[in-house]
Amino acid sequence: MSEAAASVSIVTQTCVRPECADAFARWQGETSRVISRFPGFIEQRLMPPQPPLQVDWVILQRFGSLQDATRWLGSPERQSRIEGVASMLVGRDDVHIVRDDAGGVRTAPVSAVISTRVKPGLEAEYLKWEQKIAAAQSKAAGLQGYRFEPAVPGLQDDFVAILRFDSEANLKAWLDSPERRQLLDEAAPLAEEFHTRTAQSGFEQWFRDTTPLGAPPPAAWKMNMIVLLTLYPVVFLWGLWVSTPLLTGLLHLNFPVALFIGNAFSVILTSYLVPWTAKRLDWWLTPPKAGRTLVDLKGTCLLIAAYAIMVVLFWKVL
């Protein structure tokens, strides 16, 4: 697939005044309706702040091609929308275009987007330095992925590096490490501006179909409760009907092998059960603002009751 035809994502990170959070969410919802009619638009995801790690709003807007994304960025419709939100923001936005191939912008538990504006004429030296820091961070504990996006003349002034780590602790350890600080000192003469923003995620990919366009993903604790609701019976029934009588009993497989097979099966089946369950609990996952507390309480009690029923039933089976 050519670069022109490959899908791309616009990643926007912005800091919103705390008192304007609700107004910004409404503004983003209206923007979602505008962008949904734009040629080449595929989808939009909105991730609200998750302090202390993620203090920014993160908006992912996916388009069918670089040309489609470029048209949106320069469109009168977008400029009109931006003018309406300026008073809600603190500082500058970070807006980057990222190709969706090779994993694209799919998130790990923790991601960092590092932007660097290089001094004119020093781009070649900066690229050599980027190779040096990439080699160093490849040895960092918990690193799950690294993407580097060069500046695009006339469209994106910054060089962008995206780091994906398995945990906040490992990301922070690398960002604060003496080795990285020394490398940043080496790059200081090459850069006009340098800053890092972070984003945090969890099970969002399993809840994509249940979240309204432009709305923030469900609360993490709700997603975790649904994952537990579907994973617990899968693990129990697999162990009762398959693992114990067949894998370790009939086939005499070692426990680590049988456990690996069981985990693989559980993950695959849960990836289908979670979206199915989430669609039927969307009234609880993304309730309207009015009466949200009561809806949260009802849904939570329902899931706790389901947990209790399963525990009692499985207890009697044994």
Side-chain angles (χ1 to χ4, degrees), residues 80-158:
S80 176
R81 297 300 306 160
I82 290 175
E83 291 172 2
V85 77
S87 62
M88 304 181 194
L89 307 182
V90 178
R92 54 165 277 187
D93 286 347
D94 273 357
V95 181
H96 310 300
I97 295 181
V98 181
R99 292 171 290 109
D100 287 340
D101 60 313
V105 294
R106 284 175 284 179
T107 55
V110 186
S111 301
V113 180
I114 303 170
S115 305
T116 306
R117 186 159 301 179
V118 179
K119 294 178 180 179
L122 299 179
E123 291 83 1
E125 293 183 47
Y126 176 78
L127 290 175
K128 291 180 181 179
W129 174 86
E130 181 65 32
Q131 293 175 354
K132 185 176 180 180
I133 195 172
Q137 70 196 11
S138 67
K139 304 172 185 177
L143 180 71
Q144 293 188 338
Y146 163 70
R147 291 289 302 277
F148 178 71
E149 298 290 337
V152 181
L155 181 62
Q156 177 173 290
D157 296 329
D158 296 343

Side-chain angles (χ1 to χ4, degrees), residues 252-263:
H252 303 291
L253 294 180
N254 291 332
F255 176 74
V257 177
L259 180 63
F260 176 82
I261 295 173
N263 285 347

Side-chain angles (χ1 to χ4, degrees), residues 233-304:
V234 168
V235 172
F236 179 87
L237 295 176
W238 172 269
L240 182 66
W241 293 341
V242 180
S243 183
T244 300
L246 297 180
L247 299 185
T248 58
L250 183 62
L251 300 178
H252 303 291
L253 294 180
N254 291 332
F255 176 74
V257 177
L259 180 63
F260 176 82
I261 295 173
N263 285 347
F265 173 82
S266 300
V267 168
I268 294 172
L269 185 57
T270 303
S271 69
Y272 289 97
L273 290 176
V274 168
W276 185 89
T277 305
K279 286 182 179 180
R280 283 145 186 83
L281 291 173
D282 59 351
W283 57 271
W284 175 64
L285 283 171
T286 54
K289 191 169 184 180
R292 179 177 300 173
T293 301
L294 182 58
V295 172
D296 285 350
L297 180 61
K298 289 181 178 179
T300 303
C301 290
L302 176 64
L303 264 66
I304 291 175

Side-chain angles (χ1 to χ4, degrees), residues 12-68:
T12 303
Q13 292 179 270
T14 187
C15 184
V16 178
R17 298 181 186 279
E19 67 273 15
C20 297
D22 290 342
F24 179 80
R26 290 192 297 271
W27 174 88
Q28 190 61 55
E30 295 167 0
T31 302
S32 300
R33 287 189 286 273
V34 174
I35 196 175
S36 66
R37 299 190 295 267
F38 213 82
F41 174 75
I42 298 176
E43 65 173 344
Q44 173 172 290
R45 311 304 302 174
L46 179 66
M47 293 184 287
Q50 299 183 41
L53 178 66
Q54 179 186 322
V55 297
D56 302 311
W57 289 74
V58 180
I59 302 100
L60 307 180
Q61 297 167 327
R62 188 172 173 225
F63 285 84
S65 69
L66 177 60
Q67 289 85 347
D68 292 329

Side-chain angles (χ1 to χ4, degrees), residues 194-264:
F194 176 91
H195 62 278
T196 301
R197 284 178 163 177
T198 54
Q200 192 167 21
S201 62
F203 295 111
E204 285 90 349
Q205 68 276 11
W206 285 350
F207 293 81
R208 293 168 70 87
D209 295 336
T210 67
T211 306
L213 183 65
W221 64 272
K222 291 184 178 181
M223 293 190 283
N224 292 338
M225 287 188 73
I226 289 183
V227 172
L228 177 61
L229 179 70
T230 57
L231 184 61
Y232 173 59
V234 168
V235 172
F236 179 87
L237 295 176
W238 172 269
L240 182 66
W241 293 341
V242 180
S243 183
T244 300
L246 297 180
L247 299 185
T248 58
L250 183 62
L251 300 178
H252 303 291
L253 294 180
N254 291 332
F255 176 74
V257 177
L259 180 63
F260 176 82
I261 295 173
N263 285 347

